[in-house]
C-alpha cells in the first residue's frame, strides 16, 4: 500500500477547498460506490480564494484517458457525473464521452450538475449556456441546476414555486427522447425465443435551491416516461446565515447515490440527501433559534451545522468568508442520515 500525501493542511485546516470531486467522491464511496474520478482541473485551492494556481485538463487529454480505458476494456460504467466545466471544447468532449459510454452500456445514467453561476451571476464563459441547453439537456438523465441555472436553461424567470415546477416541465420536454439517450430502462420479455426490448425514457430534474422569502426551496421532478406527467415535490430548507462552498457538488453526488438505491422514489432520495446536510426541518426552524445558529447539541447536528460549529469553536466568524465543508467529520451523517426533512408532494 502506498499513500501519497499531496498537501497537509496542519495549521490552516479550515482554509482548503472542498468543491468538485473533493465534495462528491468521498460521499459516493461512503454510500458504497466504486468511483473513478477524473479531475478536470487541479488547483491549489478553489477559485473562491483571492488567487489560485494549477493545471486545467483539455478535451484532448480527457479523451486520452477514455481511450486508455477502452483499450483495456474498462469502459463499462453505470453512471457518469459531471460538475463544473470551464470551456466549450471540454464540454463537447464530455458529450462524446456520454455517447461512447452509452455505446457500451445503453443504460448509463448521466447525472449533470450544469454549473454555470449563482445568485444572478454567470461564472463560466457565456458560450457554455447554449451548449448546455441545446446539447446537454437532451442527453442528461438527471439535472441538478440551481435557480439561476434553471433560468438560463429554460430562458424563463423563476420567482415562485410554480415557476420552479414549470421550469422542470420545460427541462423534461427538452430532455431525453431517443433510444440510447437518457436513462434507458430495459424491460426484457421472452417471446417465442425472441428478446423484446422496450425502452422507457426517464428524466429527473432537481432544482437544488430556489431562494424564496429568505429560505431555500428544493424542487424535484421525475418524469418516468416521455410525455407523462412528472411526479413533483418540494422540500423547504431553512437558510443558515453563512455561505458554504461545495454544497451543490455534494448534493448532486448524494442525489445520484440515493436515487440509484431508490430508483422509483426521487422524493426519498432527496429527503436523504438533504437530511445529510441539514439538522432541523422547516417547521421546527420557525419555532427555534436554529436560524441564528444557536443550536449546539451534537445529536441535532448534521454536516452544515457541524461545519458552522467547528468554525465557531475555532474562533472564526462564520459570516466573514465561505465555509469549507467538514466532510470527513460528517461521515455518519452521510452514511446514515436521520431523515428529518420530509418532501411534500404536489
Ligand atoms: P450548483 O452547484 O448547481 O451551483 P446550488 O447553487 O444549488 O448548486 P447550493 O446553493 O450550494 O448549490 O445548494 C445546495 C444545497 O446545499 C441546498 O439544497 C441546501 O440543502 C444546502 N445549502 C447550501 N447553502 C445553504 C445555506 N446557507 N443554508 C442551508 N442550506 C444550504
Ligand atoms: N467547482 C469549482 C471548480 C469551483 O471553483 C467552485 C467554487 O468555487 C464550485 C465548483 C462551487 O461548488 P458548489 O456549487 O458546490 O458550492
Ligand atoms: Mg447556490
Ligand atoms: Na445544483
Ligand atoms: Mg453552486
Amino acid at each position: 500500500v502506498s499513500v501519497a500525501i499531496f498537501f497537509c493542511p496542519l495549521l490552516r485546516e479550515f482554509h482548503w477547498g472542498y468543491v468538485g470531486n473533493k465534495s462528491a467522491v468521498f460521499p459516493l464511496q461512503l454510500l458504497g460506490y466504486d468511483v473513478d474520478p477524473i479531475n478536470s482541473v487541479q488547483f491549489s485551492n478553489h477559485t473562491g480564494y483571492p488567487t489560485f494556481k494549477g493545471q486545467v485538463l483539455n478535451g484532448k487529454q480527457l479523451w486520452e484517458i477514455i481511450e486508455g480505458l477502452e483499450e483495456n476494456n474498462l469502459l463499462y460504467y453505470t453512471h457518469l457525473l459531471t460538475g463544473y466545466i470551464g470551456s466549450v471544447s471540454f464540454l463537447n468532449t464530455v458529450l462524446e464521452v456520454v455517447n461512447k459510454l452509452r455505446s457500451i452500456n445503453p443504460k448509463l445514467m448521466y447525472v449533470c450538475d450544469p454549473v454555470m453561476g449563482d445568485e444572478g451571476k454567470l461564472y463560466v464563459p457565456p458560450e457554455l449556456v447554449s451548449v448546455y441547453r441545446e446539447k446537454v439537456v437532451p442527453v442528461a438523465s438527471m439535472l441538478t441546476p440551481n435557480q439561476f441555472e434553471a433560468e438560463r436553461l429554460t430562458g424563463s424567470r423563476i420567482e415562485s414555486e410554480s415557476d420552479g415546477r414549470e421550469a422542470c416541465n420545460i427541462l423534461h420536454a427538452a430532455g431525453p427522447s431517443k433510444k440510447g439517450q437518457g436513462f434507458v430502462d430495459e424491460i426484457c420479455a421472452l417471446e417465442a425465443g425472441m428478446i423484446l426490448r422496450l425502452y422507457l425514457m426517464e428524466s429527473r430534474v432537481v432544482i437544488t435551491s430556489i431562494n424564496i422569502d429568505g429560505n431555500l426551496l428544493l424542487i424535484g421532478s421525475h418524469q418516468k416516461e416521455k410525455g407523462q406527467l412528472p411526479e413533483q415535490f418540494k422540500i423547504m430548507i431553512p437558510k443558515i446565515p453563512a455561505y458554504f462552498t461545495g454544497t451543490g457538488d455534494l448534493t448532486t453526488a448524494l442525489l445520484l447515490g440515493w436515487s440509484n438505491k431508490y430508483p422509483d422514489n426521487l422524493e426519498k432520495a432527496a429527503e436523504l440527501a438533504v437530511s445529510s446536510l441539514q439538522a432541523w426541518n422547516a417547521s421546527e426552524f420557525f419555532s427555534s433559534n436554529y436560524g441564528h445558529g444557536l443550536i449546539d447539541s451534537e445529536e441535532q447536528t448534521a454536516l452544515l451545522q457541524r461545519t458552522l460549529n467547528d468554525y465557531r469553536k475555532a474562533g472564526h466568524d462564520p459570516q466573514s468568508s465561505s465555509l469549507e465543508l467538514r466532510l470527513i467529520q460528517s461521515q455518519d451523517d452521510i452514511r446514515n442520515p436521520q431523515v428529518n426533512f420530509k418532501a411534500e408532494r404536489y
Side-chain angles (χ1 to χ4, degrees), residues 19 46-48 84 244-249:
V19 295
H46 65 63
T47 55
Y84 177 89
F244 303 94
T245 47
T247 42
D249 298 315

Side-chain angles (χ1 to χ4, degrees), residues 113 144-146 149 208 248 252:
D113 185 355
T144 59
N146 61 28
E149 291 152 355
T208 48
T252 299

Side-chain angles (χ1 to χ4, degrees), residues 14-312:
F14 294 109
H15 297 272
W16 207 11
Y18 276 92
V19 295
N21 277 335
K22 274 193 67 190
S23 313
V25 175
F26 178 64
L28 282 167
Q29 289 171 330
L30 282 178
L31 296 184
Y33 295 89
D34 284 313
V35 186
D36 291 342
I38 299 175
N39 292 323
S40 54
V41 298
Q42 173 146 290
F43 289 160
S44 53
N45 46 264
H46 65 63
T47 55
Y49 289 91
T51 67
F52 61 94
K53 293 199 171 193
Q55 299 82 38
V56 179
L57 193 79
N58 64 37
K60 189 170 166 285
Q61 291 163 329
L62 169 63
W63 196 250
E64 275 167 21
I65 292 170
I66 299 301
E67 282 175 340
L69 287 162
E70 190 179 27
E71 281 168 19
N72 294 300
N73 264 330
L74 298 172
L75 214 47
Y76 183 92
Y77 287 92
T78 57
H79 295 77
L80 172 69
L81 172 64
T82 62
Y84 177 89
I85 290 169
S87 72
V88 169
S89 68
F90 197 86
L91 185 52
N92 278 325
T93 310
V94 166
L95 285 159
E96 287 174 41
V97 173
V98 175
N99 279 339
K100 187 78 183 167
L101 294 179
R102 284 199 174 139
S103 73
I104 292 160
N105 176 14
K107 293 168 84 167
L108 175 106
M109 186 162 177
Y110 173 33
V111 178
C112 174
D113 185 355
V115 177
M116 293 186 279
D118 210 342
E119 293 174 12
K121 280 202 206 95
L122 196 69
Y123 46 62
V124 295
E127 313 85 77
L128 272 181
V129 179
S130 61
V131 182
Y132 270 113
R133 187 158 50 191
E134 285 153 28
K135 295 204 213 162
V136 179
V137 170
V139 301
S141 322
M142 171 146 78
L143 287 164
T144 59
N146 61 28
Q147 177 174 13
F148 175 77
E149 291 152 355
E151 288 181 338
R152 291 296 142 130
L153 292 178
T154 59
S156 61
R157 288 301 307 253
I158 301 176
E159 276 154 358
S160 65
E161 269 179 62
S162 60
D163 291 346
R165 294 176 63 188
E166 184 51 29
C168 293
N169 293 339
I170 295 171
L171 292 171
H172 288 310
S177 60
K178 284 195 241 122
K179 263 188 191 183
Q181 288 187 334
F183 183 62
V184 180
D185 198 8
E186 231 172 315
I187 297 175
C188 298
L190 269 177
E191 224 174 42
M194 296 270 289
I195 293 174
L196 174 77
R197 283 192 176 133
L198 220 122
Y199 292 90
L200 299 175
M201 298 307 133
E202 292 199 46
S203 160
R204 291 173 176 83
V205 177
V206 178
I207 305 180
T208 48
S209 60
I210 296 177
N211 273 290
I212 289 183
D213 300 331
N215 281 301
L216 300 176
L217 182 71
L218 176 149
I219 293 185
S221 188
H222 186 181
Q223 187 185 53
K224 296 189 172 172
E225 206 174 329
K226 195 79 190 171
Q228 262 185 13
L229 266 185
E231 290 173 9
Q232 298 189 321
F233 62 87
K234 66 170 172 183
I235 301 180
M236 297 285 289
I237 300 167
K239 191 165 184 171
I240 299 169
Y243 187 80
F244 303 94
T245 47
T247 42
D249 298 315
L250 171 63
T251 301
T252 299
L254 293 173
L255 285 168
L256 185 164
W258 289 115
S259 65
N260 185 51
K261 292 180 200 279
Y262 300 102
D264 292 325
N265 198 342
L266 186 60
E267 247 171 78
K268 181 162 182 167
E271 287 172 352
L272 286 157
V274 169
S275 296
S276 284
L277 278 77
Q278 316 283 345
W280 284 50
N281 70 34
S283 55
E284 282 172 274
F285 165 73
F286 291 114
S287 59
S288 78
N289 282 321
Y290 174 77
H292 307 288
L294 298 177
I295 302 298
D296 225 13
S297 151
E298 275 299 314
E299 300 123 71
Q300 285 149 352
T301 297
L303 187 141
L304 294 184
Q305 192 66 43
R306 176 172 299 99
T307 300
L308 204 59
N309 287 350
D310 281 3
Y311 271 86
R312 271 220 200 79

